[in-house]
Amino acid sequence: MEKKWEEMSSDEKQEAQLQKWLSPKDPEGNDLQFQSPQAEKAFKERATRLKDAIQMKKRPDRVPVFTIYGFFPALYAGFTPQEVMYDYDKCNIAWKKYVLDFAPDGHIGPWVPGPGKLFDILDYKLYKWPGHGVSPEYGYQCNEGEYMKADEYDAFIDDPSNFYSNIYLPRIFGALEHFTTPHIADVLEMYGAGLNFIPYGVPPVQAAYKALLEAGNEALKYIGVVGACNNELAAAGFPTFWDGPAKAPFDMIGDTLRGTKGIMVDMYRQPDKLLKAMEVMTPLVVKNAVAGAKVGGVPIVAVVMHKGADGFLSDEQYKKFYWPTFRRVLMGLIAEGIVPFCFAEGGYNSRLEIIRDLPKGKVIWWLDRTDMAKAKEVLGDVACIGGNLPPGLLAVGTPQQVKDYTKKLIDTCAKGGGYILGNGTVMEQAKPENLHAMIDTAKEYGVYK
Amino acid sequence: MSGELVKLLSDLKEPEALAFVEKALGGGVDPVDLLGETKEGMNIVGQRFASQEYFIPDLVFSGEILKGINKMLEPHLKKREEAGRLGKVIMGTVAGDIHDIGKDLVVFMLDVNGYEVMDLGVDVPAQKFVDTIKDTGSTVVGLSGFLTLAYDSMKQTIEAMNDAGLRDKAKVMIGGGQITEEIRKYTGADAYGKDAMEAVKLAKGWI
Ligand code: B12
């Protein structure tokens, strides 16, 4: 008899989630039709290889290889970032071409570019993007700022969802400047209920809702084209390895609410409010990521980490402000059988001992400029690690240099399993022959004997 | 009482530092002396950053405290005389890149070490660097960049200096997260610095 979800241990939940991932469904919920028996076999082999590396119960047949990238697939296919943001077919073509040509064991899906037209409709203020403040051949850029003001913590803590809908959205989307939503306190009886809807008769508010409807239509158009990408790749034998996303509460507040400077000053001027806000956010982040993983059928959730890296905070500051709520996010995901793919941008050398403190075989630490020998030494018995191949090498190095570096990584990290080979930063520029050298070396040299 | 502001500022005691300045000004202390103390205080902050006692939040916050103090001092100062600067350095994040945290730290460290820094901001076109070198006669240029596309922007900036006949007049240092010695060769820069302390060392060697 099958156990109920609530009665399963986190081990059992993870196994169940990963088994589901190993047997993908089509959008109608039926078993996915693979292109060929070989494709099906390849899919299972790739996914199993990654699964074994994560769980650390068994050594995979060889070192799995996985890459992370920004607009590289667009440039590689001969498109500008602007083209793939506005022409969804081109996005679909480029992101598929990348995976089919380089054949990594898993891929991250086509979500980097996003629907340009939708951002136009909403007049997105948080970013500049190609053709809209950035030239067509560059990727988008974040306009860092204090989108939440220093004196707004109380409003945020009292009611984060209300803050998000009625204060934050109007700030980051020009077209939603007069957006407003019904409020929980409006739930009364029939008496007076009609009055709550007066705002939605006012032209500026109606304009905001119209923009929202238009954006919704555009989102459907976008997903109708780009949404097919992951299924088509699965049918060809390539599993999606990234979904989600989730973030560390410190980064959520530091990146796009208070900004880097804002949050750092808050650490001094109003530490308790900052801590409280992160606490309030923690369960919401978990719920959101769990729901997202369910929709996509991919239980590996990307957690991109920014402002806890070496140098950003002292160890004391990290332990006080970054790690406690971050760990709770990770534990919340683990409890639902989800595998957090934690991408620690920058160096994480001074944090290794701290982040060791998680159950075995439950997370992936994707590392950028961390010393990999030290990472293997400290984390190697509890967690899967990967990453580190430098972007400069891929961009201006030679295939031989890449090959040598890849071998060195495998020699350092692959022992005993629990390792995925890959590049350490979001790849934008790279020589295709270098990328081939990395991936092919992993496949040849990374076989476990 | 001399040195008290140095200590309050370098220990990041904001309310105490501001209260001290207010009281001192009321008590007739020369604002120029207080200004001198803030410089010394910021210098200590820089040293603590260099020795990894302080991290980015501490630097950012020291800048905020300083801003508050300067606001109080300004009405009392005739005009800000920038005496005894060691030399001019041009700094900026290159075209296509908007990462400024690393660049700001370099600016901060150069400033507390006595250099006059012209901070051109982020996403700075090559031509702007060229124009600024011409306008100021500065002989040291620092290019910051965190994205791989910055490799090419740096290269183009240095080529633009070449084309304008300025390459032998100014030294170029580069830095930022993913910059390495290989990238220095690729871009044709004179030196690569791995952190803000390196930037100061390089500037010292060139000015
Ligand atoms: C913070 C951050 C952001 C912030 C930027 C905030 C800001 N105001 O700067 C935000 C969230 C906005 C952001 C956005 C993006 N980012 Co970003 N970001 C980072 C992150 C996490 C930290 C960079 C940083 O500020 N470090 C802090 C400084 C202090 O570190 P540091 O290197 O030690 O600094 C020292 C030295 O470099 C040196 N130095 C610096 N400049 C100079 C200059 C000279 C002359 C000298 C001598 C020395 C020197 O002195 C500094 C002080 O000691 C890095 C990852 C990482 N941890 O490095 C990614 C990273 C740089 N970002 C990356 C990317 C891809 C992006 C985006 C394109 C993502 C996206 N698709 O949205 C955007 C676009 C940005 C753009 N177009 O410019 C990638 C770049 C990879 C690549 N292949 O190009 C990185 C490496 C992340 C990764 N691992 O993939 N990012």
Side-chain angles (χ1 to χ4, degrees):
Chain A
M1 202 190 83
E2 242 178 72
K3 250 196 195 171
K4 279 206 200 123
W5 187 252
E6 305 80 61
E7 291 164 2
M8 289 185 180
S9 69
S10 63
D11 250 357
E12 290 166 332
K13 283 185 186 167
Q14 188 201 56
E15 182 61 32
Q17 293 266 30
L18 289 171
Q19 283 302 339
K20 245 200 284 173
W21 174 61
L22 271 161
S23 316
K25 304 276 185 215
D26 67 15
E28 281 77 48
N30 305 313
D31 285 344
L32 182 79
Q33 286 292 310
F34 286 95
Q35 269 173 15
S36 63
Q38 293 91 308
E40 178 167 10
K41 184 163 168 272
F43 184 99
K44 301 254 144 95
E45 280 172 3
R46 291 188 176 112
T48 304
R49 199 171 281 139
L50 290 162
K51 173 175 177 281
D52 288 342
I54 296 166
Q55 292 184 319
M56 307 176 77
K57 290 179 182 155
K58 221 165 89 214
R59 221 175 51 181
D61 57 343
R62 68 159 163 81
V63 169
V65 53
F66 175 68
T67 56
I68 52 176
Y69 37 95
F71 279 98
F72 177 78
L75 306 175
Y76 172 66
F79 301 136
T80 63
Q82 183 179 36
E83 282 175 296
V84 293
M85 281 187 76
Y86 283 87
D87 184 334
Y88 308 145
D89 285 310
K90 284 185 177 161
C91 176
N92 196 6
I93 290 167
W95 262 252
K96 276 192 317 216
K97 178 175 167 58
Y98 172 80
V99 177
L100 296 174
D101 285 4
F102 292 98
D105 286 312
H107 69 90
I108 66 174
W111 312 125
V112 164
K117 175 107 186 286
L118 183 150
F119 301 134
D120 288 338
I121 293 168
L122 292 178
D123 184 17
Y124 198 13
K125 306 272 190 206
L126 193 55
Y127 279 81
K128 295 187 183 117
W129 59 95
H132 195 118
V134 178
S135 72
E137 61 273 13
Y138 288 156
Y140 43 76
Q141 317 200 349
C142 180
N143 296 314
E144 241 203 87
E146 300 199 3
Y147 297 96
M148 168 180 160
K149 311 272 180 251
D151 60 5
E152 288 177 340
Y153 274 99
D154 288 337
F156 179 89
I157 291 163
D158 276 355
D159 191 344
S161 295
N162 182 59
F163 183 87
Y164 177 78
S165 303
N166 294 325
I167 300 177
Y168 187 66
L169 286 185
R171 274 183 198 154
I172 63 165
F173 292 112
L176 302 186
E177 195 188 337
H178 298 285
F179 184 64
T180 180
T181 57
H183 194 271
I184 178 78
D186 291 340
V187 178
L188 291 170
E189 296 159 37
M190 189 144 179
Y191 167 77
L195 302 177
N196 295 333
F197 294 87
I198 290 172
Y200 310 103
V202 180
V205 178
Q206 291 193 332
Y209 274 88
K210 265 190 209 125
L212 214 53
L213 295 183
E214 250 184 83
N217 288 337
E218 192 60 31
L220 284 185
K221 225 186 268 169
Y222 166 71
I223 203 71
V225 178
V226 177
C229 179
N230 287 355
N231 273 321
E232 290 173 22
L233 285 173
F238 295 95
T240 314
F241 196 54
W242 252 31
D243 221 326
K247 268 178 99 163
F250 188 87
D251 286 329
M252 297 191 98
I253 293 178
D255 284 350
T256 45
L257 283 161
R258 293 286 294 127
T260 309
K261 190 172 144 204
I263 198 171
M264 289 181 167
V265 171
D266 295 340
M267 286 168 58
Y268 278 97
R269 288 196 184 138
Q270 37 184 353
D272 295 337
K273 290 200 172 165
L274 170 58
L275 288 169
K276 183 77 197 163
M278 293 194 288
E279 208 166 283
V280 168
M281 214 144 177
T282 302
L284 304 177
V285 176
V286 174
K287 249 191 226 160
N288 195 40
V290 170
K294 205 174 236 167
V295 173
V298 179
I300 298 115
V301 161
V303 189
V304 178
M305 299 146 60
H306 286 147
K307 285 157 187 164
D310 289 340
F312 266 95
L313 301 174
S314 70
D315 278 350
E316 289 316 307
Q317 288 164 340
Y318 185 83
K319 278 189 230 164
K320 177 167 176 191
F321 289 101
Y322 199 97
W323 179 240
T325 44
F326 180 39
R327 184 174 188 279
R328 271 166 40 209
V329 166
L330 299 180
M331 289 303 287
L333 294 173
I334 291 169
E336 287 303 307
I338 286 178
V339 180
F341 182 109
C342 301
F343 174 22
E345 294 189 356
Y348 237 63
N349 294 299
S350 61
R351 321 288 189 218
L352 294 173
E353 298 285 350
I354 306 170
I355 63 173
R356 219 191 105 79
D357 177 26
L358 286 170
K360 178 174 175 178
K362 296 289 190 285
V363 293
I364 301 161
W365 290 107
W366 199 257
L367 303 166
D368 172 3
R369 275 180 287 145
T370 303
D371 174 345
M372 293 304 275
K374 202 173 151 209
K376 182 74 178 176
E377 186 191 312
V378 179
L379 299 174
D381 62 333
V382 288
C384 176
I385 61 171
N388 177 262
L389 196 111
L393 198 54
L394 290 173
V396 309
T398 64
Q400 188 57 45
Q401 285 172 321
V402 173
K403 200 170 166 181
D404 294 344
Y405 198 101
T406 306
K407 283 187 175 173
K408 203 180 77 195
L409 272 178
I410 291 174
D411 290 341
T412 312
C413 306
K415 212 173 127 215
Y419 173 61
I420 303 171
L421 182 112
N423 60 323
T425 73
V426 173
M427 180 170 50
E428 308 280 346
Q429 281 74 15
K431 290 186 195 157
E433 61 270 29
N434 285 347
L435 207 52
H436 279 299
M438 171 181 114
I439 293 173
D440 297 346
T441 306
K443 290 182 181 173
E444 290 152 21
Y445 190 74
V447 177
Y448 285 106
K449 294 182 190 95
Chain B
M1 71 161 227
S2 159
E4 178 131 12
L5 184 56
V6 176
K7 188 164 161 39
L8 290 173
L9 178 56
S10 58
D11 290 345
L12 308 178
K13 305 268 186 241
E14 183 180 43
E16 292 87 341
L18 294 177
F20 177 85
V21 172
E22 190 172 2
K23 206 165 137 216
L25 284 172
V29 176
D30 186 347
V32 176
D33 290 346
L34 293 172
L35 192 66
E37 289 207 30
T38 62
K39 288 221 169 105
E40 211 182 316
M42 291 307 274
N43 194 293
I44 294 174
V45 170
Q47 287 167 22
R48 290 187 185 162
F49 177 70
S51 63
Q52 296 195 359
E53 189 180 329
Y54 278 177
F55 291 83
I56 303 177
D58 315 306
L59 241 60
V60 167
F61 188 52
S62 73
E64 282 297 295
I65 305 176
L66 181 67
K67 228 193 264 164
I69 296 176
N70 282 342
K71 221 179 184 169
M72 297 167 78
L73 292 183
E74 239 145 51
H76 301 272
L77 292 165
K78 282 185 206 84
K79 72 172 188 318
R80 276 178 60 204
E81 54 245 67
E82 279 288 354
R85 286 279 162 178
L86 297 173
K88 287 184 203 157
V89 180
I90 299 171
M91 274 296 303
T93 302
V94 294
D97 200 336
I98 53 134
H99 290 87
D100 63 6
I101 303 171
K103 182 228 2 137
D104 288 350
L105 295 183
V106 174
V107 170
F108 181 100
M109 289 301 277
L110 285 167
D111 181 61
V112 300
N113 279 283
Y115 294 89
E116 184 183 342
V117 188
M118 268 146 302
D119 183 353
L120 304 184
V122 298
D123 190 11
V124 181
Q127 192 56 42
K128 182 137 180 227
F129 282 105
V130 169
D131 293 345
T132 313
I133 301 169
K134 280 190 192 148
D135 292 349
T136 61
S138 168
T139 56
V140 177
V141 180
L143 307 179
S144 184
F146 282 77
L147 298 171
T148 30
L149 69 80
Y151 304 164
D152 285 318
S153 300
M154 287 175 172
K155 195 171 177 195
Q156 283 152 16
T157 305
I158 293 168
E159 277 162 9
M161 287 172 59
N162 241 331
D163 296 345
L166 295 169
R167 188 61 188 91
D168 50 354
K169 299 210 169 67
K171 294 274 192 195
V172 181
M173 57 180 170
I174 62 172
Q178 307 290 348
I179 305 296
T180 59
E181 182 53 28
E182 282 86 69
I183 303 303
R184 183 200 67 74
K185 284 187 207 136
Y186 176 78
T187 59
D190 296 295
Y192 140 71
K194 73 171 188 336
D195 55 32
M197 286 59 83
E198 279 291 317
V200 175
K201 245 188 251 160
L202 288 167
K204 257 186 200 146
W206 289 336
I207 291 185

